[in-house]
């Protein structure tokens, strides 16, 4: 069941220059939905539309079953958000920020301690936020988003500017939140982070979703995109021999062959050996999310399931 | 946008939390101290031109104090107060957080405006305290004027402040909208300073157009023997003069304009 769905969403800042061009997406309940796209693809614009910070020109947003929630914002009680850098008042401490959030979200201040402990800021709760590191600021932003126990968490580039440890901490926290039953929409342009974290994936290109699916769909795509890198004593001859049966891409060091299954590998090796070629190296190259991303950014084929 | 179910008091308390360690308090303190200490020092150095012997010194003392406040302090003070209160949000890039909350935008607009009005009221109240205290302090150095012998006419002083407050409403709403409109503090302050200078010129030269210029209204609301303000006529609504009525009209127009604009702007 989708907790958030978007249908045919259009948005432009300037007339004639659309940013979102009929975007469709579905975020299933209790998923970590990776929202991937290169810079300028429209990720932040989509998220700002979802949160009612921007008004869509056309299309439909359904949040917790309510259509066009920006007209009646009551369902945003179940949403927590962190958009890029968190909104922090430099003179206020973590504790002050959460006191503020308690008033805005109408929750008891008893919630402050557990949420600060969860993000690891309890020890630093009285320090002014201007003295925090980037990672601490991001964690405080997360604490503010989590304070009222939202069912849906919308995070736009939450690992921006973080060091590897900070990125890992945020990733662990996101996984923990999903285990606790929350749904997370995670926007990022960091492919490896998305790949390590998400259960579902949507890839945005030029304001449209060009791929949407779960991990199984991603694995299926990967299985279909196997490549064999091969190096022999005569690359030109090997190229001529294999071109008729396989799609071959030649580089300085390797010939890359597009395979349909792993069982193609021994067939290729036997053929080359039979033709008297010496094989120095043959290795399987599995396509990763980066491969998918690059491919989708080359062509506009919809791989959605 | 939808209505909020958050209580206005909770929102106001939230606004007060944001003022912690903020420059707003320093601006507030500075406005009061500058007026009270300026008047105190002025009297100390040139007492015989300011107050007369053997008559109630408080009346003349308050009149001079309020004239200085009226001409030099109130408009720049309001520019700083309004801009810095709004700049708390701009500096934190907080609109994207606040407007993503379930409450809707209008409640934040109104709460911030109410906070500014309350801060202004508070500073006027503190100014009354500051002026009375400085008057008693003056008595230590200039006992011949007998500040302790006479009672300060507080009701009259409060009445003056009431006029200042109402005459400032139009300027507050306009400056508030400007501060929301621009993401930095310099542009609204720059426009405000330009308006202040124009306001002084209009008021000092007795231009009738001052009646329709929000920056000039607090300066001409009461006759302080500084400007020719014969165009201030008694009004028919509960003792409000035409300057105050214009200020209320500006407040309503700019307040509603700002509300509409804030509710409809795209938060990028």
């Amino acid at each position: 069941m989708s907790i958030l769905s978007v249908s045919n969403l259009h948005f432009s800042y300037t007339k004639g220059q659309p940013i979102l061009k009929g975007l469709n997406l579905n975020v299933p309940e209790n998923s970590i939905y990776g929202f991937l796209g290169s810079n300028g693809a429209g990720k932040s614009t989509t998220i700002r539309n979802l949160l009612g910070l921007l008004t869509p020109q056309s299309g439909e947003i359904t949040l917790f079953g309510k259509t066009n929630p920006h007209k009646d914002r009551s369902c945003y009680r179940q949403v927590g958000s962190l958009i890029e850098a968190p909104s922090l008042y430099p003179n206020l401490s973590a504790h002050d920020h959460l006191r503020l959030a308690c008033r805005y979200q109408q929750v008891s201040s008893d919630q402050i301690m557990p949420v600060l402990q969860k993000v690891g800021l309890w020890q630093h709760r009285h320090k002014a936020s201007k003295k925090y590191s980037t990672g601490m600021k991001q964690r405080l932003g997360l604490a503010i988003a989590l304070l009222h126990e939202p069912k849906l968490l919308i995070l736009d580039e939450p690992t921006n500017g973080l060091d590897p440890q900070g990125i890992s901490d945020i990733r662990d926290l996101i996984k923990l939140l999903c285990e606790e039953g929350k749904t997370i929409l995670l926007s990022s342009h960091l492919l490896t982070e998305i790949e390590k974290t998400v259960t579902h994936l949507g890839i945005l290109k030029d304001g449209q979703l060009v791929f949407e699916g779960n991990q199984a769909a991603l694995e299926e795509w990967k299985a279909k995109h196997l490549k064999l890198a091969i190096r022999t004593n005569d690359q030109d001859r090997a190229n001529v021999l294999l071109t008729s049966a396989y799609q071959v891409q030649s580089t300085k060091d390797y010939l890359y062959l597009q395979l349909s299954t792993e069982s193609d590998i021994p067939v290729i090796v036997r053929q080359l050996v039979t033709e008297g070629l010496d094989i120095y190296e043959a290795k399987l190259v599995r396509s990763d999310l980066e491969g998918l991303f690059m491919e989708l950014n080359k062509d506009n084929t919809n791989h959605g399931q | 946008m939808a209505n909020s179910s958050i209580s206005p008091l909770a929102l106001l308390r939230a606004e007060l939390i944001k003022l912690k360690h903020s420059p707003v308090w320093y601006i507030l303190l500075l406005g009061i101290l500058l007026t009270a200490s300026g008047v105190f020092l002025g009297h100390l150095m040139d007492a015989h031109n300011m107050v007369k012997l053997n008559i109630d010194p408080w009346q003349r003392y308050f009149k001079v104090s309020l004239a200085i406040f009226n001409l030099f302090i109130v408009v720049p003070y309001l520019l700083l107060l309004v801009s810095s209160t709004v700049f708390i949000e701009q500096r934190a890039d907080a609109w994207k957080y606040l407007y993503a909350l379930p409450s809707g935008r209008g409640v934040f607009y109104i709460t911030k405006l109410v906070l500014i009005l309350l801060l202004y009221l508070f500073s006027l109240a503190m100014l009354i305290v500051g002026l009375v205290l400085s008057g008693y302090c003056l008595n230590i150095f200039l006992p011949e004027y007998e500040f302790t012998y006479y009672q300060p006419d507080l009701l009259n002083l409060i009445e003056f402040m009431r006029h200042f407050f109402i005459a400032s409403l139009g300027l507050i709403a306009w400056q508030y909208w400007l501060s929301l409109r621009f993401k930095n503090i310099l542009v609204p302050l720059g426009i405000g300073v330009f308006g202040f200078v124009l306001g002084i010129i209009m008021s000092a030269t007795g231009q009738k157009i001052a009646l329709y210029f929000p920056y000039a209204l607090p300066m001409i609301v009461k006759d302080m023997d500084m400007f020719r303000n014969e165009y201030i006529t008694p009004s028919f609504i509960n003792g409000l003069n035409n300057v105050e009525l214009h200020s209320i009209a500006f407040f309503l127009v700019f307040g509603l304009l700002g509300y509409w604009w804030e509710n409809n702007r795209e938060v990028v």
Side-chain angles (χ1 to χ4, degrees):
Chain A
M1 179 199 161
S2 283
I3 213 165
L4 166 68
S5 64
V6 171
S7 164
N8 200 26
L9 190 71
H10 288 83
F11 181 84
S12 64
Y13 292 104
T14 318
K15 212 171 181 182
Q17 292 176 311
I19 304 293
L20 303 179
K21 305 165 190 167
L23 176 74
N24 299 293
L25 71 86
N26 287 286
V27 180
E29 195 169 0
N30 198 21
S31 64
I32 304 177
Y33 187 101
F35 191 42
L36 195 62
S38 51
N39 288 334
K43 300 188 299 295
S44 292
T45 303
T46 304
I47 285 181
R48 283 171 193 261
N49 270 279
L50 297 179
L51 291 169
L53 298 174
L54 299 174
T55 312
Q57 268 97 44
S58 65
E60 204 170 81
I61 296 170
T62 308
L63 183 63
F64 297 104
K66 188 173 270 185
T67 306
N68 293 329
H70 54 278
K71 287 181 181 161
D72 170 11
R73 297 189 61 88
S74 56
C75 60
Y76 283 102
R77 289 207 180 288
Q78 301 178 74
V79 180
S81 62
L82 172 60
I83 309 163
E84 294 165 345
S87 302
L88 300 180
Y89 302 95
N91 296 328
L92 300 188
S93 65
H95 195 263
D96 291 330
H97 277 97
L98 290 170
R99 278 173 62 214
L100 260 181
C102 281
R103 303 234 186 272
Y104 288 142
Q105 299 287 3
Q106 295 179 286
V107 294
S108 158
S109 54
D110 295 344
Q111 300 276 81
I112 294 177
M113 190 172 82
V115 82
L116 279 178
Q117 283 174 336
K118 186 177 259 176
V119 299
L121 283 179
W122 180 245
Q123 304 280 345
H124 306 282
R125 66 190 180 280
H126 294 309
K127 202 197 259 186
S129 67
K130 64 183 168 194
K131 294 178 182 164
Y132 282 8
S133 67
T134 311
M136 289 164 83
K137 284 178 182 169
Q138 288 300 106
R139 280 187 280 150
L140 177 54
L142 267 177
I144 293 167
L146 288 170
L147 181 80
H148 57 294
E149 299 267 329
K151 285 184 184 165
L152 172 65
L153 203 56
I154 297 179
L155 307 175
D156 186 13
E157 306 276 5
T159 53
N160 255 6
L162 297 187
D163 59 20
Q165 185 58 52
I167 292 173
S168 171
D169 290 347
I170 298 278
R171 187 198 311 145
D172 293 343
L173 185 59
I174 288 169
K175 284 180 176 170
L176 176 74
L177 292 169
C178 185
E179 283 165 21
E180 287 175 0
K182 295 190 194 319
T183 305
I184 296 136
L185 173 63
L186 173 66
S187 144
S188 181
H189 64 276
L190 300 174
L191 302 171
T192 43
E193 273 320 299
I194 288 278
E195 194 165 23
K196 284 177 185 170
T197 316
V198 303
T199 59
H200 291 71
L201 181 70
I203 297 181
L204 187 68
K205 188 195 167 195
D206 294 336
Q208 286 179 316
L209 210 63
V210 287
F211 177 93
E212 188 172 58
N214 57 14
Q215 275 289 1
L218 185 60
E219 291 304 320
E220 192 183 318
W221 181 88
K222 284 181 185 176
K224 284 181 186 166
H225 289 76
L226 294 174
K227 273 184 183 174
L228 181 69
I230 198 156
R231 191 159 62 87
T232 65
N233 61 336
D234 189 346
Q235 293 288 81
D236 291 338
R237 198 163 153 237
N239 195 351
V240 172
L241 289 170
L242 295 170
T243 301
S244 57
Y246 301 96
Q247 194 184 327
V248 182
Q249 189 192 344
S250 175
T251 66
K252 190 182 163 197
D253 297 320
Y254 294 101
L255 293 177
Y256 287 97
L257 280 73
Q258 192 77 52
L259 308 180
S260 36
T261 66
E262 283 181 337
S263 57
D264 286 344
I265 300 169
V267 177
I268 292 165
V269 171
R270 269 197 297 273
Q271 185 186 350
L272 292 175
V273 171
T274 310
E275 293 291 337
L277 288 171
D278 295 334
I279 298 173
Y280 298 146
E281 194 178 352
K283 61 183 179 187
L284 189 62
V285 181
R286 286 186 185 278
S287 285
D288 52 8
L289 185 56
E290 188 175 347
L292 171 62
F293 187 71
M294 297 311 285
E295 186 183 310
L296 290 171
N297 271 283
K298 266 194 302 197
D299 58 56
N300 210 354
T301 317
N302 196 329
H303 292 259
Q305 60 164 31
Chain B
M1 294 288 162
N3 291 327
S4 162
S5 54
I6 305 177
S7 86
L9 207 61
L11 283 166
L12 210 53
R13 281 182 181 157
E15 290 296 328
L16 288 173
I17 293 173
K18 290 181 203 169
L19 292 183
K20 195 174 164 185
H21 307 303
S22 81
V24 172
W25 292 121
Y26 301 113
I27 290 164
L28 206 138
L29 200 68
L30 193 76
I32 297 161
L33 282 180
L34 215 63
T35 311
S37 62
V39 170
F40 174 81
L41 289 172
H43 279 79
L44 202 60
M45 290 187 290
D46 194 20
H48 65 281
N49 275 331
M50 299 215 181
V51 281
K52 303 272 182 283
L53 288 170
N54 302 320
I55 57 164
D56 181 355
W58 287 106
Q59 261 191 351
R60 181 78 186 141
Y61 179 71
F62 284 150
K63 190 153 190 176
V64 172
S65 309
L66 295 175
I68 291 170
F69 179 69
N70 183 5
L71 180 59
F72 298 112
I73 309 286
V74 70
V75 175
Y77 172 72
L78 281 173
L79 298 183
L80 281 173
L81 182 73
V82 175
S83 302
S84 58
T85 307
V86 176
F87 191 62
I88 290 174
E89 308 298 344
Q90 317 278 40
R91 193 178 173 203
D93 194 12
W95 301 116
K96 65 182 183 190
Y97 165 67
L98 295 174
Y99 290 173
L101 290 169
S103 358
R105 300 179 181 191
V107 284
F108 292 107
Y109 176 87
I110 293 168
T111 311
K112 185 91 51 202
L113 184 57
V114 169
L115 174 79
I116 290 167
L117 296 176
L118 288 177
L119 285 172
Y120 184 40
L121 270 180
F122 177 71
S123 49
L124 291 178
M126 285 297 101
L127 184 64
I128 293 174
V129 175
L131 288 178
V132 172
L133 284 178
S134 70
Y136 282 120
C137 285
L138 208 55
N139 195 70
I140 300 168
F141 300 98
L142 303 166
E144 64 273 24
Y145 293 104
E146 298 176 307
F147 274 91
T148 47
Y149 179 76
Y150 296 94
Q151 289 292 314
D153 186 356
L154 289 180
L155 283 179
N156 193 33
L157 193 55
I158 290 167
E159 179 66 10
F160 262 97
M161 295 302 184
R162 182 179 72 91
H163 288 297
F164 278 145
F165 180 76
I166 296 172
S168 307
L169 289 175
L171 162 61
I172 289 172
W174 162 250
Q175 201 62 33
Y176 180 50
W177 180 69
L178 273 186
S179 303
L180 289 168
R181 173 73 184 75
F182 297 98
K183 279 191 173 179
N184 64 55
I185 194 168
L186 290 176
V187 176
L189 270 183
I191 295 171
V193 169
F194 183 65
F196 171 53
V197 173
L198 278 182
I200 290 182
I201 295 167
M202 287 175 191
S203 309
T205 54
Q207 303 288 324
K208 200 164 184 180
I209 197 174
L211 276 173
Y212 306 96
F213 193 58
Y215 293 100
L217 297 180
M219 299 182 203
I220 57 172
V221 67
K222 289 295 285 182
D223 185 0
M224 311 301 286
D225 296 337
M226 295 182 83
F227 305 134
R228 290 183 295 121
N229 55 355
E230 62 272 8
Y231 39 75
I232 302 171
T233 52
S235 164
F236 49 90
I237 304 176
N238 296 330
L240 295 175
N241 65 32
N242 56 351
V243 172
E244 291 165 296
L245 289 174
H246 287 185
S247 175
I248 291 169
F250 279 127
F251 179 77
L252 292 174
V253 170
F254 293 133
L256 289 172
L257 186 73
Y259 183 85
W260 175 85
W261 189 85
E262 202 55 22
N263 263 325
N264 290 288
R265 80 175 167 103
E266 306 285 31
V267 183
V268 289

